[in-house]
């Protein structure tokens, strides 16, 4: 990896070079903006949810895709995961501080979009 693709703690002025193919920030952006990543972050923005609650709140997502998406967002440090040792295990997910920080502009974006759309006819 080149210097431009890394962020060092010793030099806070250095930034990730997001246009470099080896940039770690690029992977996080890909995960956040993936088909389901953005919806998981939006769904978790106000409270933590159990796996099945999250699945039910995001229409159209399969359990497999939800599990894969959650796994990558946990690895990226955007989502935390807590397993309660019950039978079957109860797994709860929520946003980390980093996830809250990333999710806020997404919420604002969706608020702006929905304000501009014509009213829904029921």
């Amino acid at each position: 990896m080149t210097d431009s693709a890394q962020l060092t703690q010793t030099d806070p002025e250095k930034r990730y070079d997001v246009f470099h193919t080896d940039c770690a920030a690029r992977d996080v952006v890909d995960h956040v903006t993936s088909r389901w990543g953005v919806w998981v972050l939006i769904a978790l923005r106000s409270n933590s949810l159990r796996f099945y609650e999250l699945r039910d709140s995001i229409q159209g997502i399969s359990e497999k895709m939800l599990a894969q998406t959650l796994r990558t967002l946990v690895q990226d440090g955007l989502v935390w995961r807590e397993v309660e040792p019950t039978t079957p295990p109860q797994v709860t997910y929520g946003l980390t501080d980093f996830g809250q920080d990333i999710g806020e502009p997404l919420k604002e974006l969706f608020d702006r979009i929905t304000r501009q759309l014509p009213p829904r006819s029921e």
Side-chain angles (χ1 to χ4, degrees):
M1 225 184 252
T2 65
D3 234 9
S4 64
Q6 298 178 14
L7 178 67
T8 57
Q9 295 291 358
T10 57
D11 188 358
E13 291 301 312
K14 285 192 175 191
R15 295 279 189 212
Y16 284 103
D17 180 359
V18 296
F19 296 104
H20 193 284
T21 57
D22 290 340
C23 181
R26 200 170 178 163
D27 288 336
V28 175
V29 170
D30 286 344
H31 298 156
V32 168
T33 60
S34 71
R35 178 170 183 193
W36 299 111
V38 68
W39 300 115
V40 168
L41 293 175
I42 294 294
L44 292 173
R45 73 185 179 275
S46 55
N47 58 336
S48 58
L49 296 170
R50 291 209 169 122
F51 184 88
Y52 75 89
E53 293 171 322
L54 197 48
R55 182 200 62 212
D56 292 347
S57 71
I58 304 172
Q59 294 182 5
I61 192 168
S62 68
E63 286 191 15
K64 178 183 176 182
M65 287 310 303
L66 178 57
Q68 287 177 356
T69 302
L70 286 167
R71 191 175 305 116
T72 59
L73 295 176
V74 167
Q75 289 172 346
D76 291 339
L78 297 164
V79 172
W80 55 261
R81 178 180 189 265
E82 182 181 307
V83 180
E84 296 176 37
T86 59
T87 306
Q90 294 181 344
V91 184
T92 305
Y93 295 90
L95 293 181
T96 63
D97 289 341
F98 182 33
Q100 289 281 356
D101 194 37
I102 297 301
E104 190 57 37
L106 294 175
K107 178 186 175 305
E108 185 178 323
L109 173 66
F110 283 97
D111 288 346
R112 286 179 181 207
I113 290 169
T114 56
R115 280 194 306 265
Q116 295 299 319
L117 292 175
R120 283 180 22 163
S121 58
E122 303 270 337

